[in-house]
Amino acid sequence: MDDDLAALDRRISACRACPRLVAWREEVARVKRAAFADQDYWGRPVPGFGPPDARLAVIGLAPAAHGGNRTGRMFTGDRSGDVLYAALHEVGLASQPVSTHQGDGLELYGVRVTAPVHCAPPENKPTRLERDTCRTWLVQELTLLRPTVRAVVVLGAFGWQAALPALAAAGWTVPRPRPVFSHGQRVRLEPTVPGAAPLQVFGCFHVSQRNVFTGKLTPAMLREVLTAAAGEAGLRPGTEGEARDAQGRQA
């Protein structure tokens, strides 16, 4: 599975399916932000990040223009990533609280971070067509994670709307009518593939600057969702070692 997921990541990073997104990500990488003028931007689709045998998946929205589109790693180098990785570290699912670049030593314990749209969109707003075009990558990623993944945290309403159809295509039954997004929403999905396990899906407000600055999402709220999801996934947040050891015991 490791080789398969690595191969998927390489295919994702070479995708040019959405002309508007290709033009934008490459323009941003060429023009750059003044603060990063001396850096080489990734400027390509950003694959998921985390171990191939993850028991917990975190699904966001899309890479930030000067975050993941610059660093090449999901939720790295921007304010949203600062909030997410700090929370993952605090509950024992990440080796460090900051994520600045690909070589910074960050490790995730039993967690895979990904998004339904892999290219940075203008104004952080992908179109429905771009979301649907990119869905094939999320379906393939979730399918490869299916042997081990037991819980999913979806950040924001856009991610929720994109994730449920992808989960259905990857081997789980989504209730009808589809559950509506809300913070703290929790849905159990039954498998449609023989031998697969049920999946617990959690809704969480997105870790956007707006949500954090206004207090709509607090660090405590985020930690609460991550801790509950990790517990359902068979991970035991608390310390790095506990989370990592629990993953090994559950493998």
Side-chain angles (χ1 to χ4, degrees), residues 143-218:
T143 300
L144 289 169
L145 292 173
R146 191 171 60 208
T148 58
V149 71
R150 298 295 180 265
V152 174
V153 173
V154 184
L155 303 175
F158 183 96
W160 186 266
Q161 294 166 1
L164 291 182
L167 288 165
W172 289 274
T173 299
V174 175
R176 293 192 177 185
R178 286 180 183 168
V180 177
F181 171 79
S182 64
H183 182 84
Q185 173 71 282
R186 181 169 173 171
V187 181
R188 176 184 168 99
L189 305 185
E190 298 297 332
T192 58
V193 178
L199 190 69
Q200 295 285 348
V201 182
F202 295 77
C204 180
F205 289 138
H206 195 278
V207 289
S208 66
Q209 292 185 58
R210 176 180 296 180
N211 285 347
V212 174
F213 289 166
T214 61
K216 184 176 183 179
L217 177 70
T218 66

Side-chain angles (χ1 to χ4, degrees), residues 3-201:
D3 291 341
D4 289 340
L5 192 54
L8 176 66
D9 290 346
R10 289 192 294 271
R11 294 198 300 274
I12 288 173
S13 64
C15 182
R16 300 183 66 84
C18 300
R20 187 182 79 114
L21 297 186
V22 171
W24 173 250
R25 77 191 191 209
E26 292 181 355
E27 178 184 355
V28 169
R30 183 176 62 256
V31 175
K32 305 181 182 181
R33 177 173 284 174
F36 309 121
D38 61 339
Q39 297 184 19
D40 292 329
Y41 274 54
W42 174 261
R44 304 197 298 275
V46 181
F49 170 60
D53 58 351
R55 300 186 67 86
L56 171 62
V58 176
I59 300 176
L61 192 161
H66 301 281
N69 189 56
R70 171 174 58 90
T71 66
R73 189 169 69 193
M74 200 67 71
F75 277 109
T76 292
D78 61 63
R79 295 287 181 87
S80 294
D82 292 344
V83 174
L84 176 61
Y85 288 118
L88 287 169
H89 178 260
E90 287 176 11
V91 300
L93 297 175
S95 63
Q96 59 192 45
V98 295
S99 177
T100 58
H101 60 280
Q102 287 202 47
D104 61 11
L106 176 66
E107 294 182 62
L108 298 182
Y109 303 135
V111 181
R112 175 91 174 171
V113 177
T114 190
V117 176
H118 287 275
C119 290
E123 300 180 349
N124 290 323
K125 295 180 179 178
T127 66
R128 288 187 178 183
L129 177 60
E130 289 162 351
R131 176 197 67 189
D132 294 346
T133 300
C134 206
R135 181 178 297 149
T136 180
W137 297 126
L138 184 58
V139 171
Q140 292 180 64
E141 186 171 15
L142 291 169
T143 300
L144 289 169
L145 292 173
R146 191 171 60 208
T148 58
V149 71
R150 298 295 180 265
V152 174
V153 173
V154 184
L155 303 175
F158 183 96
W160 186 266
Q161 294 166 1
L164 291 182
L167 288 165
W172 289 274
T173 299
V174 175
R176 293 192 177 185
R178 286 180 183 168
V180 177
F181 171 79
S182 64
H183 182 84
Q185 173 71 282
R186 181 169 173 171
V187 181
R188 176 184 168 99
L189 305 185
E190 298 297 332
T192 58
V193 178
L199 190 69
Q200 295 285 348
V201 182

